[in-house]
Amino acid sequence: MTKTLLPAIITLLFGFNATAQDLPGYVPDSNFNKEQQLAEVIITANRSERKMGNVAVPVQLISQKTIRQTGSLRLQDILQEQTGLVIVNSSLGSALNGYPNPFGQGVQMLGLDPAYTLILIDGEPLIGRNGGILKLGRLGTGNIRQIEIVKGPSSSLYGSEAMAGVINIITQSPLKATAEVQIHRATNNTWGTGLSYGNRFNKTGIQLFINRYSSSGYDLDKTIYGKTVDPFREWNGQLKVAHDFSNKLQLLASLRQFDSKQNNDYQILWQNQPAVAKGYTKEKDQSAFVQLRWQVKPEHRFYFRTFYDHYRNNSFVNLDKTTTRFDETSFDQSILKPELQFESKHKTNNYVAGAGAYFEMIDASRYAGKRNLTTLYAFTQKEWSLLHDKFTLIAGGRIDKRSDFAAKISPRIAVAFKPGSKWKFTASSGWGFKAPDFRHLYLSFYNSQIGYSLIGAKELSSQLQQLQQQGLLQPGADINPYLKENDLKPETSFGSHIGAKFNGDKWNMEAGLFRNDIQNLIESFSLTFNRSNGQPIFSYHNIGKVYTRGVELNIKYRLVKTISFSAGYQFLDAKDKDVLKKIDEGKLYKRDLNTYVTSPVKHSDYFGLFNRSKHTANFKVEYNDGKTGWNIYARAVYRGQFGFTDLNGNNIADDPAEMVSGFWMTNFAVSKSFLHCFSTQCGVENLLNYTNPARLSNIAGRLFFINLNYSLANNNNKHKQHQK
């Protein structure tokens, strides 16, 4: 493996002429241009700093101003208001009233599940996926400088999990003296407090952020024991330290910690009788990052960086008023990621290349023992600017070699054409992949409440033999077809995007067409026999072929200096190719839920993949008067109907009873700044009080909030402006 990759890595690093500026978290020297910091600069799309107008792939940017205008302290609330992003529950985490849901909510992008979107913090991966979902509630918003969203296959730079795209959450860096305090109060006895402090002492800068968030939870159905979401509290903290050894050598180090505790209080069946189970779930996420930037020449840079992250989730419940343990789970994951990156910049071309490794460990109660995986990777990308910067061409690729799979190559190409100052046209195509995760390979889970089993592909043979020896399989079960190891293949995708953008004095418009085709989709399947209790046994295999395609539109209009309107819309068509083939062949049937009459499924019956809405939209109105300090920000987000579950036995969404109807989420916030350093904000989320307890238990109903802010930096800046 090493002999194969070493020549490729050397070639990638030193075989081209080449650039880039600064990765997330990089702290410039004392000559840093503050106006440049305020410009719309994107880092994630090319792994190097670029003006947003020059990027050739579809990108969205959420600024710190927009984040604060919403008044929300939850990252999922910010993301769900963006065109093409939908916050969804895991299909495994939709139980109601108290039953612990470790999965949380994830981001669906371009119609692909949350498992296919890579989440980064300051350019480094967030770990701790449960059911393919990263719990967004682990991330606060108080220290976010901007959020960059790159849509479409990004495996050419970021490897596995980036088939749908990348969301990079960039936090504040120690650039200047700042001090800020925020207090948040909301419905359901929700409290949030945040403290942010930054300063520079000669050649050293520090940035500190601490946040606490807690809630008493909420209950959407009083007829069922327990709350829909139990009480919880969360702590977030981050410390960044930067030091300039010289104009050529700079060091950045950061520490991040998340700690939470949530009560578990729900009803169960114990010895076929209703009973109450109580306990709690604890989560911890601790990471450390060190980066050394070496400016060899004005046009050449090296980055040496190391990232370590350790995530833990432990949960238990006992029978109420006893010490009898009903259920207990543990999940422990860590990653060590060293990386070397080289950048070069010339007048007409930019170049970036790098190499590194992932050393992953997971030890979970639902997995068959402690597991380790190693991935070596190298990437390269070159960008040419032609015709006096009117035409941009980007070509790049990445090679990943995981210890249990063959090497995977992911190329990408993108072009951009700017005929004038107002128009830009782009086109991009790329290959993406997602390797089977620990869950697909090593899971060994038995549901004690219901009685079914879910076994990873590499554990299936040994687990079946063990179950048979223990007499836990139904009589006559033939395990021979499953004794041969099932070698799962990585899922692969090919995605394309064509876009056009217009920037005028009052109008800004953007449109894009996209399509993604995925092969070797990993799906669960039921074995041909059951456990001795009659419950099924599930495992995973490569079978599916799906596509997602659609169109996105964004429009913004500035009526006057203080008032602007914006709107976004996505049409999505997401379907299973094998299902379409069966419909064409007349081999797929449905049963009427009322008459029980069976009939062939028509194309018009098949809605598409579950949990996908064909139509989503958002509308926003903003009033911002810098002179008086008033800001009003109103938003309405629409999610069209989508398939929730199969009821007629054919495993597709083709009946109205299987659907969730479309709904609106309307949010409103108004804020006022005064005395140079104070601001107050109040608002309401979900103004129309939409709820769907059985199928969308994450939507809590109407929520009111108020925020109080104190910012010393704003005070100083405004005094300077006043003196001028």
Side-chain angles (χ1 to χ4, degrees):
M1 176 179 66
T2 305
K3 292 181 179 180
T4 305
L5 283 179
L6 187 59
I9 293 173
I10 295 175
T11 302
L12 288 172
L13 286 176
F14 305 108
F16 297 84
N17 291 324
T19 222
Q21 299 290 322
D22 309 315
L23 284 180
Y26 159 65
V27 180
D29 58 28
S30 57
N31 296 321
F32 178 74
N33 184 345
K34 294 183 180 180
E35 291 183 0
Q36 180 185 7
Q37 180 198 10
L38 298 176
E40 286 194 334
V41 174
I42 292 293
I43 300 168
T44 314
N46 299 313
R47 269 186 172 256
S48 58
E49 193 175 83
R50 295 288 185 275
K51 291 182 179 179
M52 190 170 178
N54 295 335
V55 176
V57 295
V59 174
Q60 285 179 259
L61 185 146
I62 308 174
S63 67
Q64 183 184 61
K65 174 187 173 184
T66 299
I67 294 171
R68 299 198 172 188
Q69 282 176 330
T70 67
S72 179
L73 300 189
R74 303 190 307 168
L75 180 62
Q76 55 263 44
D77 294 336
I78 309 296
L79 295 177
Q80 72 177 355
E81 296 181 357
Q82 311 308 310
T83 303
L85 301 188
V86 180
I87 302 301
V88 298
N89 282 322
S90 165
S91 59
L92 301 175
S94 58
L96 178 65
N97 281 59
Y99 192 83
N101 173 11
F103 310 106
Q105 288 79 51
V107 182
Q108 184 187 101
M109 186 187 300
L110 301 181
L112 298 177
D113 279 336
Y116 301 96
T117 296
L118 181 64
I119 308 290
L120 306 175
I121 300 180
D122 292 327
E124 300 298 334
L126 188 68
I127 64 172
R129 289 184 183 267
N130 266 312
I133 283 182
L134 283 169
K135 190 176 178 181
L136 296 176
R138 290 160 52 189
L139 305 175
T141 62
N143 68 329
I144 296 178
R145 177 162 61 89
Q146 67 185 39
I147 301 173
E148 300 177 0
I149 304 166
V150 180
K151 296 182 178 180
S154 300
S155 296
S156 63
L157 289 177
Y158 294 100
S160 182
E161 297 181 4
M163 285 173 63
V166 178
I167 297 177
N168 191 6
I169 301 155
I170 301 175
T171 61
Q172 295 279 18
S173 291
L175 299 176
K176 58 183 179 180
T178 60
E180 186 171 3
V181 178
Q182 182 187 56
I183 299 175
H184 174 89
R185 174 69 165 144
T187 307
N188 299 324
N189 193 32
T190 300
W191 286 92
T193 55
L195 170 66
S196 180
Y197 173 76
N199 212 340
R200 289 190 66 85
F201 306 94
N202 296 322
K203 293 185 177 182
T204 302
I206 64 170
Q207 184 74 37
L208 174 67
F209 172 72
I210 300 174
N211 169 257
R212 187 183 189 277
Y213 186 71
S214 64
S215 173
S216 295
Y218 58 88
D219 190 4
L220 297 178
D221 191 340
K222 304 295 184 181
T223 65
I224 301 177
Y225 176 85
K227 290 187 173 183
T228 305
V229 171
D230 279 319
F232 65 89
R233 63 101 181 120
E234 300 173 346
W235 281 95
N236 264 297
Q238 186 179 41
L239 173 66
K240 285 186 178 180
V241 179
H243 181 74
D244 300 339
F245 294 104
S246 67
N247 290 335
K248 293 186 177 181
L249 192 63
Q250 297 169 328
L251 175 70
L252 172 67
S254 71
L255 297 172
R256 181 179 59 84
Q257 164 125 359
F258 169 79
D259 183 281
S260 76
K261 181 179 179 179
Q262 179 161 13
N263 293 346
N264 299 328
D265 184 2
Y266 54 93
Q267 193 173 67
I268 61 170
L269 284 177
W270 175 253
Q271 297 178 350
N272 296 322
Q273 296 295 323
V276 171
K278 291 185 178 181
Y280 55 81
T281 298
K282 285 187 174 181
E283 274 186 289
K284 284 190 177 181
D285 186 12
Q286 299 168 306
S287 68
F289 172 73
V290 178
Q291 174 181 281
L292 192 65
R293 191 196 77 153
W294 179 29
Q295 185 99 22
V296 184
K297 296 179 180 179
E299 67 275 13
H300 297 309
R301 289 180 182 174
F302 278 98
Y303 291 90
F304 305 89
R305 57 176 71 96
T306 301
F307 174 71
Y308 175 77
D309 197 357
H310 187 192
Y311 172 81
R312 284 159 288 179
N313 184 311
N314 296 282
S315 178
F316 82 93
V317 286
N318 292 335
L319 294 181
D320 190 22
K321 300 178 182 180
T322 74
T323 58
T324 303
R325 186 62 50 93
F326 174 74
D327 191 27
E328 183 175 12
T329 63
S330 64
F331 184 91
D332 193 321
Q333 183 181 7
S334 65
I335 181 174
L336 176 64
K337 176 178 170 280
E339 183 178 89
L340 168 66
Q341 182 168 320
F342 169 70
E343 300 176 354
S344 179
K345 182 178 182 179
H346 291 273
K347 187 175 181 180
T348 59
N349 64 80
N350 301 296
Y351 179 71
V352 58
Y358 289 89
F359 301 99
E360 300 178 71
M361 182 282 298
I362 193 165
D363 187 5
S365 57
R366 292 177 174 175
Y367 290 5
K370 185 177 180 179
R371 298 292 176 176
N372 294 277
L373 287 177
T374 299
T375 302
L376 302 180
Y377 66 88
F379 61 88
T380 180
Q381 181 168 282
K382 191 162 186 178
E383 176 182 337
W384 294 268
S385 296
L386 308 171
L387 302 177
H388 303 288
D389 293 333
K390 289 186 176 182
F391 184 81
T392 301
L393 173 63
I394 297 176
R398 171 168 164 149
I399 182 171
D400 287 80
K401 175 63 181 77
R402 207 168 84 171
S403 53
D404 55 347
F405 288 102
K408 189 68 181 177
I409 298 176
S410 305
R412 180 176 70 172
I413 187 169
V415 295
F417 176 61
K418 296 190 293 184
S421 60
K422 295 184 177 182
W423 283 96
K424 183 176 79 168
F425 301 92
T426 60
S428 60
S429 293
W431 282 260
F433 83 99
K434 184 181 184 303
D437 57 30
F438 288 102
R439 165 180 50 122
H440 298 134
L441 299 173
Y442 305 116
L443 187 66
S444 181
F445 171 61
Y446 171 68
N447 186 295
S448 58
Q449 182 75 350
I450 301 175
Y452 69 87
S453 290
L454 181 58
I455 305 173
K458 286 188 175 295
E459 299 297 325
L460 184 60
S461 175
S462 61
Q463 290 293 314
L464 287 179
Q465 293 180 66
Q466 183 176 339
L467 290 173
Q468 191 172 62
Q469 292 172 2
Q470 296 172 347
L472 296 177
L473 297 181
Q474 71 179 45
D478 181 12
I479 67 172
N480 290 320
Y482 305 101
L483 295 182
K484 183 180 179 181
E485 186 171 310
N486 179 16
D487 292 325
L488 291 180
K489 300 177 182 178
E491 299 175 313
T492 60
S493 73
F494 176 75
S496 299
H497 184 278
I498 300 174
K501 190 172 184 179
F502 172 80
N503 289 321
D505 296 331
K506 287 183 173 292
W507 287 93
N508 292 320
M509 294 180 286
E510 186 173 7
L513 299 171
F514 65 87
R515 181 179 174 107
N516 292 280
D517 287 271
I518 303 176
Q519 296 185 10
N520 295 326
L521 191 70
I522 299 174
E523 293 183 345
S524 62
F525 72 99
S526 176
L527 274 62
T528 56
F529 50 83
N530 297 329
R531 293 178 62 100
S532 57
N533 61 4
Q535 294 298 318
I537 302 172
F538 298 95
S539 188
Y540 296 97
H541 61 173
N542 294 103
I543 189 172
K545 294 182 180 180
V546 303
Y547 70 80
T548 68
R549 62 186 180 186
V551 58
E552 290 186 354
L553 300 171
N554 282 290
I555 300 175
K556 185 173 182 179
Y557 175 69
R558 184 169 295 279
L559 181 64
V560 294
K561 186 177 180 180
T562 57
I563 301 176
S564 63
F565 302 88
S566 63
Y569 169 76
Q570 177 185 264
F571 170 78
L572 174 68
D573 180 31
K575 292 181 178 178
D576 187 320
K577 295 181 180 180
D578 292 331
V579 170
L580 294 175
K581 182 179 179 181
K582 289 180 181 178
I583 294 175
D584 289 335
E585 296 173 349
K587 296 180 179 180
L588 190 62
Y589 293 85
K590 66 176 182 177
R591 184 181 61 181
D592 189 283
L593 297 176
N594 296 316
T595 64
Y596 302 106
V597 174
T598 300
S599 61
V601 175
K602 302 176 183 177
H603 279 281
S604 58
D605 297 325
Y606 179 38
F607 186 83
L609 300 179
F610 286 105
N611 215 4
R612 274 79 168 178
S613 297
K614 289 186 177 180
H615 306 282
T616 56
N618 61 80
F619 302 90
K620 303 173 185 177
V621 180
E622 179 187 352
Y623 171 82
N624 188 21
D625 190 339
K627 293 182 179 180
T628 64
W630 282 100
N631 180 273
I632 300 174
Y633 194 36
R635 297 95 64 205
V637 179
Y638 174 74
R639 183 179 182 188
Q641 71 167 345
F642 59 92
F644 179 78
T645 189
D646 173 51
L647 297 177
N648 58 16
N650 58 10
N651 295 317
I652 66 171
D654 63 345
D655 190 282
E658 300 172 338
M659 311 296 292
V660 173
S661 300
F663 61 92
W664 287 91
M665 296 288 289
T666 305
N667 306 320
F668 179 85
V670 56
S671 60
K672 175 70 169 69
S673 301
F674 56 95
L675 296 179
H676 304 297
C677 56
F678 288 96
S679 66
T680 182
Q681 184 182 43
C682 61
V684 58
E685 298 177 357
N686 192 7
L687 180 64
L688 302 179
N689 197 31
Y690 172 82
T691 59
N692 189 334
R695 294 182 170 182
L696 295 172
S697 59
N698 61 297
I699 300 178
R702 186 183 296 114
L703 302 174
F704 296 94
F705 69 86
I706 183 170
N707 294 328
L708 300 176
N709 292 76
Y710 171 78
S711 178
L712 183 62
N714 290 342
N715 182 28
N716 293 338
N717 290 342
K718 290 192 176 183
H719 273 301
K720 291 178 182 179
Q721 293 173 3
H722 180 71
Q723 292 170 0
K724 290 181 181 180

